Amino acid sequence: MRVLIIGNGGREHALAWKISQSPDCSQLYIAPGNPGTSELGENIAIDPMDFNALMAFCEKNQVDLVIVGPEAPLVAGIVDTFRSNPSTKDINIIGPDAKGAQLEGSKAFAKDFMIRNKIPTAKYIEITLENIAEGYRFISGSHPPYVLKADGLAGGKGVLIVNDEASARANLLDMLNGSFGHASKKVVIEEYLNGIEFSVFILSDGHQYALLPEAKDYKRIGEGDIGLNTGGMGAVSPVPFADDILMEKVRKRIIEPTISGLEAMGITYRGFIFFGLMVVEGEPFVIEYNCRMGDPETEVVLPRISNDILPILKGAAQGNLDHKTIQISPFTATTVMLVSGGYPQEYKKGYQITLDYNKDESTLFHAGTTVNSQGQLVTSGGRVLAVTSISDKGTEALQRSLLTAEKIQFEGKYYRRDIGFDLDLI
C-alpha cells in the first residue's frame, strides 16, 4: 500500500513511525514532513493547504491511502476537494469532510451539536459584538473562573480562563475585536467545570468505531500546571483513573451519541475524533472535540497499539471497521516535550541540536526541527522534540523520558520534569 501522511509535526512523525512498521506499507510519503520522518519515508515538499498539488502528487504516484494529520486542511475541506475530483475521488482518506470537521472548526457548532444530542457539556452562550450585552449578563450571572473560547481555529491558544469579572468582560471585548484574528469574531462563554481532564480517541468509519488508548496531556508551561497554555508539554497513557466504569459512561453518553448524531446530520465521518473530557465527581463532560489526533497525545497512544495499524486505517477509510480490532499494550507510555526557551511566547530558532541518547530507552518524535544549510539539525519551532518511553512501570517510563530529555542538548532547552505528577503511576 502506498501511503501519504499530510503534516510536519510530532503527531505526523508518530504516525509515520507506526505505519512504517507495517508489512503492508510499500511506500510512505510525508508532506512536507520533517527530519524525523525523512528516516522513515520520503518527505515531499508540498504545503498541507495546497490541495491541488497534493491531488496531483497522489494521482502521479498512485497513492492508496491519505492520512490528514492537522486540523487546518480538514476544516478547509481537503476531503471534499479530493472526493470532488474525478482523479482522486476513489483514494482512501482518513479525515472528515468540512462539515464533520466543524466539530473542531467551530466551538459554537460543537456546543450546539452536543446540546441537540444530549451529550454532557458545560452551559454556554454564543456571543458576537452584536449581542455582547448578553455576554456581559452571562458573565455577571456566573461564578468565576470564566471560560472564554474563540469560535474558530486559533492554534490551540484561543481559550482564556479568567478569574475576575472585570477581566472577563475586558477579554471578551478584546477577543471580539480580533485578539485571535477572525477566529474570535464569535466567542463561546462557558460555565467553568472543576474536575480532572483526560482525552479519549476513536477511529470512526462513519457508522462504527474503534476505541484507541486514552491519554492525559499537560498544557501549562510551568511545573505544577501553572503559567501560560501551550500546545502540550507532555502526556501519559494509560490514565489510571479511567477505569471500566468511567469508560462505559464515556462510551454510552458521549462516543455513541456523537457517532449517531453525525449520522443523523448526513455526515459520514471517516477519521479520528478526539474527545477532550472533564471528569466532575465521577461524571464525564465534553470540553472540546478535535477532528484529528492530538499532539503530544499521539506520541503515547500509538506506541501502546500492539498490532499493525494500517489495515485498521484502511478499514475506517473504506467504511468497514466491523472486523478490525485494536490490540492495546498494558504498558505505560510517557512523553516529555522539549521546547524552545521563551515558548509559548517569543522564542529564537536555529539552535543546533545534539542527539546523544540511548535509542533502546526512548523514541524521539520531531515536532519543530529542520536541517540548516550546513546540514545540521536545528530548532525551528516552539515545541522541538517529544521524548517517548514505554515500560511495564509508569514511573520507569517517565524516568527514561526524563533521562533522555536531559541528554539531548540545544540552547534554551526547557522541559517539564513533573509530567504525570497528578497521577498514581506505579
Side-chain angles (χ1 to χ4, degrees), residues 98-118:
K99 192 173 181 182
Q102 285 300 289
L103 282 179
E104 179 170 3
S106 169
K107 298 290 192 298
F109 174 93
K111 295 294 285 190
D112 177 70
F113 175 85
M114 286 183 264
I115 296 301
R116 284 189 289 109
N117 290 282
K118 298 180 173 57

Side-chain angles (χ1 to χ4, degrees), residues 1-5 19 58 62-67 91-94 310 313-314 317:
M1 195 183 309
R2 301 169 74 85
V3 180
L4 170 65
I5 300 171
I19 290 168
C58 288
Q62 299 179 309
V63 170
D64 301 297
L65 176 67
V66 175
I67 301 159
I91 294 176
N92 296 311
I93 188 164
I94 291 293
L310 196 50
L313 291 167
K314 183 179 179 182

Side-chain angles (χ1 to χ4, degrees), residues 346-365:
E346 289 187 16
Y347 56 88
K348 294 182 179 179
K349 304 177 183 180
Y351 292 123
Q352 185 174 356
I353 303 168
T354 302
L355 300 181
D356 180 17
Y357 72 102
N358 185 343
K359 294 183 179 180
D360 293 330
E361 294 284 323
S362 304
T363 301
L364 295 189
F365 297 112

